[in-house]
Every structure is written in structure tokens, then in C-alpha cells.
Amino acid sequence: MSDKTELGRLVAEAQASFETASTMDELRAAKVAHVGDNSPIALANRGIADLPKEDRKEAGQAIGAARGAISAALAQREAALEVVEMEARLIAESVDVTLPVSMRPQGGLHPVTGLFYEMCDVFVAMGWEIAEGPEAEAEWMNFDALNFTPDHPSRFMSDTLFLDPPQNHKILRTHTSPVQMRTLLTRDLPVYIVVPGKTYRADEYDATHLPVFHQLEGLAVDKGLGMAELKGTLDHLAKSMFGSDTKTRLRPHYFPFTEPSAEIDLACFKCHGESVGNPDRACRTCRSEGWIEWGGCGVVNPRVLAAAGIDTDVYSGFAFGMGVDRTVMFRNGASDLRDFAEGDVRFSRQLVGVAR
Amino acid sequence: MRASYEWINAHAVLFADVVPLAEAFTQAGLLVEQIDDPSQAITGKVVVGRVVECVEEPQKNGKTIRWCQVDCGDYNPEGQPTRGVICGAPNVCVDAYVPVVLPGSVLPGGFEIVSRKTYGHISDGMICAEDELGIGDDHSGIIIFDPCLNPQVGSDALELLGAKDPVYEIDVTPDTGYCLSIRGLAREAAQVTGGVFNDPYDTPVPDTVSDGYPVVLDSEDCVLFVAISVGGVDPDAPTPEWMVRRLKAVGVRSISLAVDITNYVMMESGQPLHAYDQTTLQGPIRVRKATEGEKITTLDHVDRVLSKDDLLITDDSGPIGLAGVMGGLTTELTQTSTEILIEAAWFNPASVGRTYRRHYLPSEASRRFERGVDAGVAYAAAMKAAELLRDLGGGTISSKITVAGSPRTMPTISFPDWTLPGRILGIDLTKEKVIEILEASGVSVVPDKDGWILTPPTWRPDLVDPYDYIEEVGRKIGFGVIEPRIPSAPLGRGYTRAQKARRAVLEAVAAAGFAETIPLPFISGSDLDRMDITADDERRALVRIANPLSEEQPYLRSTLLPGLFTAVNRNTSRSLSDLALFDCGLIFRDTNTGPALMPDVSTRPSQEEVEQLFARLPHQPRHLGGVLTGEWLPANDRHPGEPATWVHAIYLAEIASLALGTTMVRRKALKAPWHPGRCAELGVMKDGEFVTIGWAGEIHPKIVQEWNLPARACAVEIDLDALIELAPSTGQITPLSKHPATKQDLALVVDEGVPSATVLEALREGAGELLESIALFDVFMGTQVGVGKKSLAFNLIFRAQDRTLTEAEASAARDAAVAEAGRQVGAVIRS
């Protein structure tokens, strides 16, 4: 079997056999036939030992070369078939990637909660802190300490919800402002705080009124604070929330606990005033008024500071408050406040992630 | 407050047009909410015409139309002496001056007027009624101009109608009562636009005199009462058109000359007046407090029982008026009254406020008294009314007048530092500028050291404290000039640990697929009955609202569940039944702490008072609650839908504790409203003790039915404040072993009632330190393991810190674990 012609034939046969194998299984069968223990080439290899000593070297080299050629052909075919089979497998395993993944239907924070976080973050970034207080509150904290006279109309039962019996002087806070007094009574000056919270009024329950709603309150008491610092702070909040070109205006107003008092209006961030007197470009966000009433503010009335025992010759402050439900309404285009309280699962799903 | 541009301009020389004046008002704190201008809604031409000929033509349909020839002067059709117009109104007549809308005009509501053929004639325009022009609601007939207005044919009818007078709707804040008058607004308008104000009411109150009708003041709540008599007034004298028009512009209907005059003077001066039929008065007028239970019949024919706090005007017959609120019926002016007594008084604002609220009688007068009437205008106002009765009603003013009491004196204060307004307002202000503004506002400014002695004018009761004057300066300059500055807060410490923790929990729960709801926190007592909550349960410590929004829900919630169940009902009514809702908010528990303090506000309360103010309130912990119904996971192509079960209710609480780094433990519990076999008490171990923080599980089927919830609804409620309190504040990091782990599976048979967590804990204890983790992966019950028994299969992972464990070491640890489970709960290895 050392005949070179014979070896050439074996190699050619093996090559042809491998080449005709169209699957890995066929190739494995061809491999057994052409390189297995009982294959002609294996037998030839084993036969070397029976050859005369002087012929062994030459025969060994010839057979070795033939075995090498067969192995190379096998490897080449194996590689080729692997590619083919992988291609076939990948095609077979293809899926519809648009099928639903297994996910819980979406949850979400209530838009009011989300907006509270966003607004509080603005203030925390400025070094302010977050203060909180109870919803069932002492009447003194909600009214008297904030310079509401005993006869002030908002103290009547037509406006304020009282805990029973009313002569116990406990109410459901009508604004987050009692936390101003709690803070001034418990913290060292200077004070820079915002107060997110729930508030209560004996109000209607309809598309534009909720008897239970949410406010964000701010209070700063320090040396040298006044309307300029109030305006600077509110401008920063407005720009953070509505874009850096947002404009605000302060308009004189009246609140017992601030003097001077003002209302803060936002220049409409949707129509930029273009809807005013222009029925063709009516704006839902500002009701085509160009300005949106956002909240109340002012310099803390020295009477409030005095009720907390603060030296009004040294310290002054400013305070502000805005309705958060209303802010969601004009910012996100909500049209019915009842949706805020009814608990329809679809409501809180609408504003999630960065789209809050 | 409604105020017409025309009336304001009658008292001031202004250099501002309608819209700029509105902007100036708004900048000065008088928010102009609206400018009504009916003529703006009309395009085209409305002219005055005189009816020259009017022919009645009955129609087949029973109606009668009138074919009119109207002289419109320059607006007659070319070459014609008159314009032919069809008119349906019965009051049209020859020689009447009427408004004629010319063809091509469009009336409010898009009603276009065209020349058209109707009833056999060409109707070349329209004679119209008030409502058609949008200037009123009268549709009883067409408008016929009063000849005393001197109507001219072809002139602008809208101008003659006063429809071209824009009217401001102004939001007057409680501290600016002086702007509830044309006079006050004209004064402000002149000041903020650089105009000149002419006060028609600048005659001061004379010294006390009692020559006129006798008046006795018997209450501190009335310090001034001016009474002027006018006799011989013609009760049939009409109210002139100009007065009717001005009153209408501010929203007051014309009634009779005398009543119209009192309203007119009130609107103009801000001083409410009352007019009595003097012949009905018996004896002197006495102003006093009522006696408890005393009665009066007011002008509106209502019998009212009085409180001893009500201030009364009385005569010998008894009460004849609720001071500043409403007059009495017995002394009312009638259609035949000729002898009129005019009252102009100053009543205590708070007293009037209490009385009108007590009797639900808000009025233009009581609103003005409550907000503070000019202390010095009473005489001028009463005299103006008397003069109008004389000039328009032919009356004679009695030379004998009464001025009881005297105007209250305005409080003088020391304003210590002239630089304060500039510093507080953040505006550069010179001393001279501040003085100029204050003096323009009527304030008396007397220099005093570094500041001034200030006295407000009689119409400014709001100027009391130094900061009130600062606001006045700011208001008059406008806040628009304030240059914003960002204050530098001291270094903050960010959110508190509890605030961060709460936010982490809510964000985690929302991310896990729960939707937040914020229901109204009110419940009814029956809500607790319907949840089978017993009388001794802590949730029965309800806080009641004295004046609830609805008598059906008079309590503050003591649990979040009723609000969540109601939200479920709302959703299911909208065909939404696969729900996972949560609510995080305060609940309220009564603590019987007694009344809250009302300390004096002029100084800081004592420390003890502060503590009591904080302590004497209901307990108000923040709870986190959730409710689940329907499917937790929807079906898809790979697996069927997974129903929401008790497991998912617990899952919400587990998410919350995971967000806080807390390990929650559970034990079986009986708690309403949960299913007795499917309720877990949730807790956290603290010093070896189980501290309860809430409950979770499936709702009792009976309560599911009672609340009309979807079957197998599940719920959870935990005390989030308590959970946050128990959470670790700082975590601990231990070195990680670099050696491979050895895994062992184990199946144990225990009695069916033994909680799996107990078995797991026993295994953990027995396995010792080599046990890295243990997890239950199967529960099996069946005859193979015996009746009343169950098989629990666990996966245990062992690992050593310093070496690779041998199988023998792991097996030994496992055997120790099994032995401990056997000792504690009688567990045996499943054979």
C-alpha cells in the first residue's frame, strides 16, 4: 500500500466523499470511512511496520502526506458545513421581535407627587431644605400666628373644615403655611425651606375645584431679604420648570401673612402671549390671557415673625405658595380636577419618567 | 367691582386710554379681570332714527307687523327721505327715536343684517331691542330714546346708549376697600397714570351737632351717624337717563329716584347710605346692640331672630334696621314717600361682617362696611344724596342736620428708617421719592429723626404698620421694576433620611407596576362596619369633622382601604378591572388630647405652649396601602395571564422594605377586612421582637361582595413611617469569598400547618456559618407524603470564606440543618 498511485486514489476518494457530504452527519459517516480505524489509510499506516526496514521511511512519509491531505479536506469541509448549519439554525430560530414582552401593566406616581419631587429638587439644589407638618392642625398655627384676625372670613366654617368640636380650635389646614410657623418655632435662623403638602377647604368638588388639594410653600428668613430675593427665587423656579426664557410678573395683592403681598403670574409658556386678542390662536393654557396666575407671595409680615419671637429689626423674610394640582393642570393640559382624586388607573399612567 | 371708564374719568383728568389704564390698575394691585365693551361685539353702523310713519299690517299667521318709515338723516337711502323697516315690536310708534341697525352690520352672535324682502316690503335695516345689541336682556320691545337725551337723527345710537362705555371688572382685594368706589378708583387711576384727581366728596364731617333728626349712639360699634332730611320730594320724579346708565354699567338696576340716588352715591363715594321714610319713624333713632332673641323684619320680608352681637338701628317702635346690612320693612321708602331721612354712618367692620354672615345677607353695603369705609366721607356723601334729591326730585334740604359722634381718628405711627422701603422692595428709592408717593396717597408725612411720623388719610384704614406703607410705595411704583436677586441659602443637607426613604419607596412601588391614587381622605362610619372592623379596633378611633363636606362622610380616614376600594369601584364602572393601585398619605387617629391652645400672637409662645400646640393633635402617621384586582400579568403568546393574588399584595410591601434595605418578616394573622386563611401580618424584627407594620392578603369574600369588588381582590396597608423608622440607616459591606460554592437540594416533610418560613429559619440556624443562602423551591402535598403532611424542597448554597468546601463539609452542614429543623418542627427528610 505504499504505492503512490494507490495513495493518491485514497486521497481523491476521501476528498470526493467529504465533498458530497451535505450535512454534518454525512460528513461524520465519511470521516469513519476515510479516517476511521478501519479505513484504508489507517490500515496502510498500520502496515508500515510490516515493510522492510529500508522501505519504511519512504512509505511513512508518503502515507503521512496522504493522511495530512485527507485531514485537511475533512477540516475544510467541516468548517464549510458549520457555516451552512449555523446559517440554517439562525434562520430557523428567527422570532417576531414585536411580540409583547412579559411586563406588568405600567404603574406610575400621581402627577402631583411627581411635580412635588421636581419642584423640591430645584430648591434642594439651591441649599434649601424640605419641611413638613400635620394636616390636622391647631387653628392658632394656621390662622392666628399668621396674622389672620379673629374675624377673618376664611376662618368661618363656610371656608375651613374644623375638627369636632370646633371650640377645641383644631382644623384641617387650609394652606401649607402653618408649617412656616412650626419651622420658625423649631429651627435656628436663617431658614430656607419649602413645604410640599395636602391642604383642605370647604370648597366645591367639580372640574375646577377640589376640597382637598396640594400646595408647595416656600419660606426664607434671613438678614436682608426682600422682594428682590423673592423675585429672584421665583424666577429661578419658573425657569427650571418651564424653560429658561420663562418670564414672571409680580402683581400687588393681599394676604394677611405677607406685607407687601403679591401674586406671581407666569407669562404663558405655550403661546408666549400671542393668543391675546387673537381668537384664531386661542390658547387653552392661559385662556388667551397671556398670563397664568400661579400663586401668592410676599415679604413675611413682621407680625408673623414677632409671633415666633424673631427680632424684626434684624431679620426679614419672604414666602410664597402655589397650587400644585393647578400647576399640573396648566403645565400638562389636564382639564378636569376630578380626575386627580377619582383614582382611575389610567390617570397616573399618563405621566411617567421624564415626561412628568 | 365694576367701574365704567366714563364714570372714572368724570372725577379725574387722565392721560390713559382704556387698555393702558387697565394695565396700570393691574400693576397697582387692582387686577382688571375683564373689560366689557358691548360695542366691540357689533360691526357696522347703528344710528338714531325717527319714526315718521308706522302702518300696522295684520298677517295671516295672526301676527301684526308694522311697516315703518324711519328718518335716519344722512343714513337714508340715496335720494329717499326715509328708510323702510319692518318692525314686530308693539311699542314702535310715530315720532319715536329708535336705534336703527343698517344693512351690512353684524350684531352679537353673528346675526347679520341685510336688506331683504319680507311681508311684501323691502326691509332696509332693523329697529332693535336691548338684548339684540347685547347691552341688556330686555326684549319686551324696541329701544325708544328719551327725548330729554336730545337724540339727533343719523347720530351714533351706540354712543347715545352708553354702549360705547367700556366697563372694568376689577378684583378688589380685602385691604383695598376704598377701591370699592368710583372715587377710590379715580384717585388710584390719577396717581398711577400721572393724572389729576378731583374729589367730589372732600367736605369734611362737621363737628357733632344735633339740630336735625335726633340720633343716639349706644354702641362702640357705631362712632358716627350723619342724618339729613329732605322734604317734599316728588315720588314720581324719574331717574335721569345718565344716572340709570352709570348705575347699569356698574351692575345696579334702577328702582326709583330716591333708591337710585342712595345707590349712586354709594357707588361713587364708597359710603353706603340708607334712606328712611321719615314719616314712619317714631322717636329718636338709637344705634345699639340687639338683645338675644329680639326680632326684626327686614326689607326682604324675612323675619330674623337677632343675636346680642348684632348692631341695630332702632326707634321707639323697636329695630328698624340691621346696621350696615339691611334696612327694616317698617321704615322702608315707598312709592309715595316724600319726606326722606338720609343716613350715612360708620360701623365697625368686624361687627357688620359677623352680622351679615350670621344672617346670610351679603350686600353691596355690608361688603363695603366690612372692608372699611372712609371714616371722613359720611357727611359729604349724605349731602350729595340730599342735593341730588333736591335737584332731581324737587325736594328741600332741611337746614337742620344731625352729626352724632365723630369720625374715628386715624392711627399715627412712627416709621423709624426711611431706607427701609427701598431695602424691602429691592428698589433704589430716594427719601424724596418715598415722601412724594406717600403724600400722593394722602398720607401725612412729618420728618422724625431718620424716619417719619405717618398718619393715613381717612379712606386708608389698611395703613397701620410700617410694612403697610412699604407696600403702598411698592404698589404705586409697580413691582415690575424690582431687579431679581438670588439669595444665598446656607449649606443645606438635602432631603432628610425619611424624605429620601419615602421617595425611594414610592418610586419603587410605581416602577413595580402600581399606579398612585390620591383619593379624598374622608370616610363614613359605615365604611368600617362594611369592613367588619370591630369596636375595639384602633381604626375606630375616628376623628370627626364638625362641618364635613358631606354628612355621609364626616370622618377623616383611619385606614387607606375605603378610599382604595372606592377607587376600584370607579375603575370597574369604567370597565377597568386589572388594577394595582396604591395610596400613600396620612391617616388620622383620635388621641383625646383636649383643646388646642390659642396663645397671644404679640410675642413667642412659651416653650411649654409650643410643645402643647404640637402635641394636642390627632395621631397622623403616613400609611402606604394598595389594592389589586384582576390580572397581575396579562396573557401573551408564551404564557397564560397570571391573576393578582395575596402574593402580590405582600409583594408591594416587600418592594417597599427592599427599597429601604429592610428585611420584612410575616406571620399568619386574623385581621379585618382580610380572608382569615390568607392574611399575613407584616413586621420587622427589632431586638428579637416582631414589630408589626401592617397587613396584607386576600380580602374576605364577604367583604369583597359587600364592596362590590372583583372576586379575590387583595389589599395591603402598612405604616410607612414605622417601616422607615425601623430601616437601617447605613449598610454593611463584608469581604466576598473567592472560592466556589457547593449546592445541595433538600426535601423535608413537616406537618401541613407548619409555616415554611419557620422551617427555613430552623434550617438556617442549624446550617451555621457555611450556609450562604437558602431558598424554598417547591411545596408538595399528597398521599406520597402522608395525610396532614407536606413536603418542602429547599435549595441550599454553602461557601467558605477561606477555602473550597469539600462535599463532606457541605453534607455535614446540611445534616446539621436537617437535625435543627427536626428538633424545632419535627421535620424529616423525605424518603
Side-chain angles (χ1 to χ4, degrees):
Chain A
M1 280 294 275
S2 57
D3 183 340
K4 285 211 172 126
T5 317
E6 183 61 13
L7 282 173
R9 190 182 58 79
L10 284 181
V11 170
E13 271 179 19
Q15 282 171 336
S17 171
F18 294 157
E19 211 53 48
T20 53
S22 59
T23 67
M24 273 295 184
D25 283 345
E26 286 175 26
L27 187 62
R28 271 190 285 276
K31 182 182 171 184
V32 170
H34 295 284
V35 292
D37 284 351
N38 294 316
S39 62
I41 195 78
L43 294 175
N45 197 39
R46 284 206 290 278
I48 294 171
D50 302 332
L51 292 178
K53 207 171 187 175
E54 61 276 17
D55 292 345
R56 283 184 200 163
K57 187 180 174 190
E58 192 188 343
Q61 281 172 347
I63 290 170
R67 285 178 72 191
I70 291 170
S71 292
L74 177 65
Q76 192 190 355
R77 188 60 187 156
E78 258 174 3
L81 283 180
E82 262 171 24
V83 170
V84 169
E85 296 219 333
M86 182 56 79
E87 275 171 4
R89 174 183 159 185
L90 294 181
I91 288 164
E93 287 178 0
S94 145
V95 296
D96 176 0
V97 296
T98 66
L99 283 172
V101 297
S102 302
M103 263 178 94
R104 263 288 302 146
Q106 187 187 306
L109 292 177
H110 194 283
V112 164
T113 306
L115 190 57
F116 267 143
Y117 291 161
E118 186 177 330
M119 294 172 88
C120 287
D121 285 348
V122 172
F123 285 97
V124 166
M126 289 197 287
W128 294 45
E129 294 185 0
I130 313 298
E132 291 170 290
E135 292 164 17
E137 179 60 283
E139 186 181 354
W140 185 87
M141 208 72 84
N142 193 81
F143 289 125
D144 302 74
L146 299 174
N147 192 36
F148 284 74
T149 57
D151 282 311
H152 194 282
S154 64
R155 301 176 75 132
F156 296 124
M157 290 182 96
S158 55
D159 288 45
T160 297
L161 297 175
F162 280 76
L163 303 193
D164 201 33
Q167 58 269 29
N168 272 2
H169 299 299
K170 298 176 200 177
I171 49 107
L172 288 166
R173 65 178 179 192
T174 58
H175 45 190
T176 39
S177 310
V179 182
Q180 286 192 17
M181 187 46 53
R182 288 180 164 262
T183 302
L184 294 177
L185 288 172
T186 51
R187 292 194 186 211
D188 293 332
L189 296 178
V191 153
Y192 288 81
I193 52 137
V194 285
V195 184
K198 203 176 268 185
T199 53
Y200 298 73
R201 304 228 176 127
D203 213 339
E204 308 291 313
Y205 177 64
D206 60 32
T208 53
H209 297 87
L210 285 179
V212 182
F213 54 102
H214 300 83
Q215 282 188 340
L216 185 86
E217 178 100 6
L219 172 73
V221 177
D222 201 343
K223 291 173 184 162
L225 296 185
M227 295 295 282
E229 289 74 20
L230 168 66
K231 175 110 167 85
T233 303
L234 291 175
D235 277 359
H236 179 66
L237 177 65
K239 289 182 162 114
S240 305
M241 292 177 65
F242 299 100
S244 51
D245 59 344
T246 304
K247 292 192 172 48
T248 66
R249 111 182 145 178
L250 294 179
R251 187 162 44 72
H253 201 74
Y254 172 75
F255 303 105
F257 45 113
T258 48
E259 188 77 27
S261 300
E263 285 207 307
I264 174 161
D265 295 343
L266 281 176
C268 184
F269 52 91
K270 274 271 164 63
C271 74
H272 302 284
E274 285 176 19
S275 64
V276 181
N278 193 351
D280 296 340
R281 303 200 54 181
C283 178
R284 268 184 57 198
T285 301
C286 65
R287 289 175 298 177
S288 301
E289 287 171 7
W291 294 95
I292 302 161
E293 284 182 38
W294 198 17
C297 58
V299 169
V300 180
N301 193 318
R303 286 174 186 250
V304 174
L305 299 180
I310 291 168
D311 184 348
T312 54
D313 288 337
V314 180
Y315 287 99
S316 59
F318 63 83
F320 57 86
M322 55 266 302
V324 174
D325 311 76
R326 276 202 62 244
T327 305
V328 170
M329 276 189 104
F330 68 70
R331 193 179 79 140
N332 302 101
S335 57
D336 192 335
L337 272 177
R338 285 169 297 200
D339 289 342
F340 286 58
E342 282 183 346
D344 187 312
V345 68
R346 296 168 297 178
F347 185 65
S348 290
R349 282 179 183 165
Q350 295 185 68
L351 303 186
V352 293
V354 292
R356 268 182 203 152
Chain B
M1 170 80 192
R2 287 175 64 83
S4 67
Y5 185 74
E6 179 272 328
W7 203 350
I8 291 170
N9 276 265
H11 298 305
V13 181
L14 299 178
F15 305 102
D17 209 347
V18 177
V19 172
L21 180 58
E23 280 163 8
F25 272 140
T26 295
Q27 272 308 302
L30 295 159
L31 176 64
V32 175
E33 294 183 314
Q34 203 172 303
I35 305 175
D36 285 341
D37 187 352
S39 68
Q40 294 286 318
I42 300 171
T43 54
K45 197 84 191 161
V46 187
V47 300
V48 175
R50 187 175 66 90
V51 181
V52 179
E53 195 183 307
C54 175
V55 181
E56 295 202 351
E57 295 183 355
Q59 302 295 312
K60 278 181 237 153
N61 62 8
K63 274 201 214 163
T64 300
I65 60 105
R66 290 154 191 86
W67 172 231
C68 303
Q69 294 301 321
V70 188
D71 177 7
C72 296
D74 293 346
Y75 294 93
N76 289 328
E78 193 129 2
Q80 305 284 321
T82 57
R83 188 173 276 276
V85 182
I86 295 283
C87 181
N91 65 331
V92 67
C93 58
V94 170
D95 278 346
Y97 285 90
V98 295
V100 181
V101 186
L102 301 184
S105 302
V106 183
L107 296 185
F111 182 28
E112 210 177 327
I113 307 302
V114 289
S115 184
R116 65 192 176 106
K117 186 159 186 185
T118 176
Y119 298 110
H121 304 281
I122 302 284
S123 185
D124 202 8
M126 180 175 125
I127 304 174
C128 53
E130 247 188 16
D131 64 335
E132 289 159 335
L133 288 175
I135 58 169
D137 44 20
D138 187 1
H139 192 73
S140 60
I142 50 131
I143 297 169
I144 295 180
F145 292 110
D146 189 332
C148 74
L149 288 174
N150 193 21
Q152 300 292 320
V153 291
S155 66
D156 188 335
L158 293 177
E159 202 157 309
L160 196 62
L161 283 164
K164 284 209 161 156
D165 181 20
V167 177
Y168 300 116
E169 178 80 57
I170 299 174
D171 178 16
V172 174
T173 53
D175 59 332
T176 46
Y178 60 100
C179 286
L180 292 173
S181 66
I182 298 298
R183 170 182 177 244
L185 291 170
R187 187 196 307 275
E188 296 287 293
Q191 198 181 349
V192 297
T193 61
V196 180
F197 170 61
N198 303 309
D199 190 356
Y201 294 89
D202 59 356
T203 314
V205 177
D207 291 340
T208 304
V209 55
S210 45
D211 294 349
Y213 200 88
V215 175
V216 182
L217 303 185
D218 260 356
S219 168
E220 290 173 353
D221 286 339
C222 176
V223 298
L224 175 65
F225 194 116
V226 174
I228 298 177
S229 301
V230 183
V233 176
D234 174 7
D236 298 323
T239 305
E241 195 74 28
W242 60 265
M243 185 179 281
V244 172
R245 192 191 303 157
R246 281 184 172 174
L247 284 174
K248 191 168 141 191
V250 300
V252 178
R253 259 177 188 285
S254 172
I255 293 164
S256 68
L257 178 65
V259 173
D260 289 352
I261 286 171
T262 58
N263 283 332
Y264 181 84
V265 173
M266 172 175 70
M267 287 295 169
E268 191 171 69
S269 69
Q271 168 72 56
L273 302 175
H274 188 69
Y276 301 92
D277 182 333
Q278 198 170 321
T279 63
T280 63
L281 293 173
Q282 301 170 28
I285 286 175
R286 185 178 295 273
V287 186
R288 62 162 171 87
K289 289 284 188 181
T291 53
E292 195 71 41
E294 206 173 349
K295 289 188 180 125
I296 184 175
T297 306
T298 40
L299 280 178
D300 53 0
H301 297 265
V302 176
D303 295 328
R304 298 177 188 274
V305 180
L306 303 171
S307 141
K308 66 179 193 305
D309 184 46
D310 291 329
L311 188 65
L312 292 181
I313 314 295
T314 67
D315 68 0
D316 289 351
S317 70
I320 57 170
L322 271 173
V325 177
M326 190 178 266
L329 194 59
T330 56
T331 56
E332 188 191 13
L333 289 182
T334 65
Q335 286 167 355
T336 58
S337 300
T338 59
E339 309 305 300
I340 295 171
L341 182 70
I342 299 161
E343 163 203 311
W346 193 92
F347 302 115
N348 177 358
S351 166
V352 173
R354 286 194 298 269
T355 293
Y356 91 72
R357 285 200 174 73
R358 186 178 299 121
H359 299 289
Y360 304 102
L361 271 175
S363 65
E364 293 286 353
S366 59
R367 195 156 67 101
R368 282 170 176 75
F369 278 119
E370 189 186 27
R371 300 205 180 176
V373 165
D374 184 342
V377 78
Y379 173 78
M383 189 49 82
K384 174 73 178 249
E387 287 165 2
L388 287 168
L389 281 171
R390 178 192 66 199
D391 299 346
L392 304 173
T396 308
I397 304 170
S398 167
S399 60
K400 292 174 178 169
I401 63 158
T402 293
V403 177
S406 55
R408 64 184 281 258
T409 47
M410 302 308 287
T412 290
I413 64 148
S414 165
F415 193 99
D417 179 356
W418 73 267
T419 65
L420 197 58
R423 284 190 279 129
I424 291 299
L425 292 167
I427 303 173
D428 277 338
L429 286 173
T430 61
K431 192 175 186 173
E432 291 66 34
K433 182 73 184 167
V434 178
I435 294 173
E436 182 196 318
I437 292 168
L438 290 177
E439 288 186 336
S441 295
V443 176
S444 150
V445 183
V446 179
D448 178 47
K449 290 181 219 128
D450 291 334
W452 307 291
I453 301 294
L454 302 177
T455 312
T458 52
W459 59 88
R460 292 300 300 269
D462 60 306
L463 297 177
V464 178
D465 291 342
Y467 275 58
D468 298 331
Y469 288 93
I470 295 174
E471 179 177 87
E472 178 65 9
V473 173
R475 210 185 258 277
K476 292 297 153 65
I477 293 179
F479 292 163
V481 300
I482 296 168
E483 277 301 321
R485 279 197 295 265
I486 301 269
S488 48
L491 298 178
R493 284 161 295 180
Y495 293 97
T496 63
R497 176 180 166 277
Q499 287 161 353
K500 278 185 270 201
R502 196 194 308 153
R503 181 163 172 177
V505 166
L506 296 201
E507 288 184 337
V509 168
F514 291 85
E516 187 182 15
T517 67
I518 306 185
L520 300 190
F522 308 116
I523 63 168
S524 70
S526 67
D527 285 344
L528 301 185
D529 300 338
R530 293 169 65 214
M531 285 165 55
D532 267 359
I533 289 176
T534 51
D536 57 344
D537 191 289
E538 72 274 12
R539 289 167 290 183
R540 287 282 182 183
L542 291 171
V543 178
R544 190 184 170 87
I545 299 166
N547 51 333
L549 297 166
S550 145
E551 282 300 335
E552 326 223 300
Q553 294 187 312
Y555 299 105
L556 285 166
R557 62 185 180 187
S558 58
T559 156
L560 302 180
L561 297 182
L564 287 165
F565 290 173
T566 305
V568 168
N569 293 153
R570 176 88 55 191
N571 278 282
T572 52
S573 76
R574 296 174 182 176
S575 316
L576 302 160
S577 54
D578 297 331
L579 303 172
L581 303 175
F582 78 98
D583 178 13
C584 180
L586 303 191
I587 61 108
F588 303 82
R589 304 259 166 91
D590 189 26
T591 46
N592 279 321
T593 45
L597 302 186
M598 295 286 273
D600 174 48
V601 290
S602 58
T603 57
R604 182 190 164 95
S606 71
Q607 198 50 38
E608 192 188 340
E609 285 172 324
V610 171
E611 279 162 23
Q612 288 199 2
L613 278 164
F614 285 7
R616 288 190 179 176
L617 292 172
H619 182 45
Q620 301 170 60
R622 189 174 297 270
H623 276 203
L624 171 65
V627 63
L628 297 111
T629 66
E631 279 189 343
W632 171 254
L633 272 181
N636 62 23
D637 59 304
R638 298 173 303 284
H639 51 70
E642 182 185 352
T645 65
W646 60 274
V647 169
H648 304 106
I650 292 170
Y651 175 70
L652 186 152
E654 290 283 1
I655 295 265
S657 54
L658 191 65
L660 299 173
T662 312
T663 306
M664 187 171 280
V665 288
R666 281 177 256 146
R667 61 190 185 196
K668 200 160 184 176
L670 292 177
K671 182 84 178 175
W674 282 278
H675 185 311
R678 296 183 172 185
C679 174
E681 185 174 3
L682 310 171
V684 172
M685 298 306 288
K686 188 190 175 201
D687 305 329
E689 296 288 321
F690 182 99
V691 182
T692 303
I693 59 136
W695 288 267
E698 187 178 314
I699 301 297
H700 194 299
K702 204 176 74 187
I703 293 162
V704 166
Q705 195 176 9
E706 171 64 35
W707 283 81
N708 197 22
L709 302 174
R712 302 223 174 269
C714 297
V716 52
E717 180 164 8
I718 64 171
D719 182 340
L720 185 57
D721 284 346
L723 181 64
I724 290 172
E725 187 67 33
L726 290 162
S729 50
T730 314
Q732 186 66 42
I733 290 176
T734 53
L736 303 177
S737 166
K738 273 76 176 175
H739 300 276
T742 304
K743 294 181 184 176
Q744 299 245 347
D745 284 351
L746 179 63
L748 293 179
V749 175
V750 292
D751 286 343
E752 206 180 293
V754 177
S756 64
T758 310
V759 181
L760 188 143
E761 278 312 310
L763 288 170
R764 198 199 296 278
E765 257 175 67
E769 283 186 356
L770 292 178
L771 183 70
E772 184 176 80
S773 68
I774 174 167
L776 180 144
F777 68 87
D778 194 28
V779 179
F780 177 78
M781 275 178 275
T783 48
Q784 297 93 321
V785 291
V787 177
K789 298 276 184 188
K790 63 182 173 187
S791 161
L792 304 175
F794 296 92
N795 177 253
L796 294 81
I797 297 177
F798 296 96
R799 197 195 302 264
Q801 195 59 243
D802 55 349
R803 64 189 188 283
T804 300
L805 284 184
T806 63
E807 280 297 325
E809 281 177 301
S811 296
R814 189 193 70 165
D815 293 345
V818 173
E820 184 61 25
R823 198 183 64 74
Q824 285 191 22
V825 293
V828 293
I829 290 206
R830 184 177 171 190
S831 48

